């Protein structure tokens, strides 16, 4: 709005300099770019991120399997830890040694995190594995992927707006420096006679 009012104010003003008009046009162009380019960049980047992340969700769902594991023993010195993969950050897990059978039929035993408060030998719980039975992180869910895509789009829009505003400020800064340099030149010309009696006579 300042750009539009600046253009209107300088339209017929006799004190208007060319740089004033250019500055107002630069501000208007930056405003239009922020209103058009930033949402467009956010939409494009968000859409690309959404497609990529949802493809990753499908691949992880296809390659990771939920299997049932049996507690052999609790790991020495194991304490309850917050599950880093939990959406709430409140799910507590304990490290245990467990046995499980992989989707390919092979038997496995390893230390894994169990969602049991007080694990006892023989307790059963579920873990995610790959096809070979190696313990892996749970697959990304579609809602989390969509949230990441929205954040990527928002970040791209903010970055685009910041770049436009930074470009506008750089142009205005250079114009102001040039204006000050011209003023210095004008003062240098007028300086020796400024304020003296009989100047200009």
């Amino acid at each position: 709005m300042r750009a539009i009012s600046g253009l209107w104010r300088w339209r017929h003003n006799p004190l208007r300099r060319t740089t004033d008009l250019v500055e107002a046009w630069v501000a208007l162009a930056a405003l239009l770019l922020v209103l058009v380019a930033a949402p467009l960049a956010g939409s494009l980047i968000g859409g690309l991120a959404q497609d990529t992340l949802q493809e990753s969700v499908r691949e992880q769902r296809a390659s990771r399997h939920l299997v049932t594991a049996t507690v052999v023993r609790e790991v020495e010195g194991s304490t309850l830890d917050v599950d880093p993969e939990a959406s709430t950050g409140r799910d507590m897990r304990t490290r245990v040694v467990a046995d499980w059978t992989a989707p390919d039929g092979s038997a496995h035993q390893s230390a894994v995190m169990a969602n049991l408060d007080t694990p006892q030998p023989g307790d059963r719980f579920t873990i995610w594995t790959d096809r070979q039975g190696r313990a892996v992180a749970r697959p990304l869910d579609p809602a989390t992927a969509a949230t990441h895509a929205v954040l990527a789009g928002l970040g791209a829009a903010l970055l685009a707006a910041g770049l436009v505003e930074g470009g506008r400020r750089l142009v205005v800064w250079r114009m102001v420096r040039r204006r000050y340099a011209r003023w210095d030149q004008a003062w240098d010309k007028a300086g020796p006679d400024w304020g003296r009696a009989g100047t200009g006579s």
Side-chain angles (χ1 to χ4, degrees):
M1 295 311 292
R2 218 171 75 186
I4 295 169
S5 68
L7 281 173
W8 185 259
R9 185 178 67 226
W10 290 119
R11 211 166 46 112
H12 297 297
N13 192 320
L15 298 177
R16 181 193 75 197
R17 296 167 298 197
T18 304
T19 57
D20 296 325
L21 198 57
V22 170
E23 188 176 332
W25 277 110
V26 166
L28 180 62
L31 175 67
L32 292 176
L33 276 173
V34 166
L35 293 176
V36 174
L40 184 63
S43 176
L44 288 174
I45 297 299
L48 288 172
Q50 173 75 347
D51 293 344
T52 303
L53 288 170
Q54 292 302 335
E55 179 62 29
S56 179
V57 166
R58 287 188 288 277
E59 287 174 2
Q60 288 182 12
R61 292 275 178 192
S63 65
R64 298 179 186 187
H65 305 277
L66 197 60
V67 298
T68 302
T70 306
V71 174
V72 175
R73 70 179 187 281
E74 188 173 348
V75 173
E76 294 286 332
S78 176
T79 58
L80 287 175
D81 289 326
V82 175
D83 182 6
E85 297 173 19
S87 59
T88 62
R90 296 182 188 155
D91 293 346
M92 301 304 282
R93 298 230 162 181
T94 307
R95 185 167 287 282
V96 298
V97 174
D99 289 328
W100 67 89
T101 302
D104 64 3
S106 58
H108 293 268
Q109 184 179 88
S110 183
V112 293
M113 298 294 280
N115 55 351
L116 303 168
D117 291 339
T118 54
Q120 301 296 323
D123 286 350
R124 297 168 72 79
F125 62 99
T126 56
I127 60 169
W128 287 95
T129 68
D130 60 12
R131 289 189 182 97
Q132 291 75 38
R134 293 183 295 258
V136 294
R138 73 167 54 106
L140 184 65
D141 63 282
T144 303
T147 301
H148 288 307
V150 168
L151 291 174
L154 182 61
L158 291 174
L159 179 63
L163 288 173
V164 169
E165 177 60 13
R168 183 195 72 79
R169 286 177 182 261
L170 181 63
V171 168
V172 170
W173 176 76
R174 289 181 61 101
M175 288 170 57
V176 168
R177 297 251 332 217
R178 194 171 298 146
R179 184 183 304 154
Y180 286 160
R182 287 185 189 143
W183 283 354
D184 287 341
Q185 290 171 358
W187 276 110
D188 286 343
K189 288 179 185 174
D193 294 331
W194 183 258
R196 290 186 183 169
T199 300
S201 56

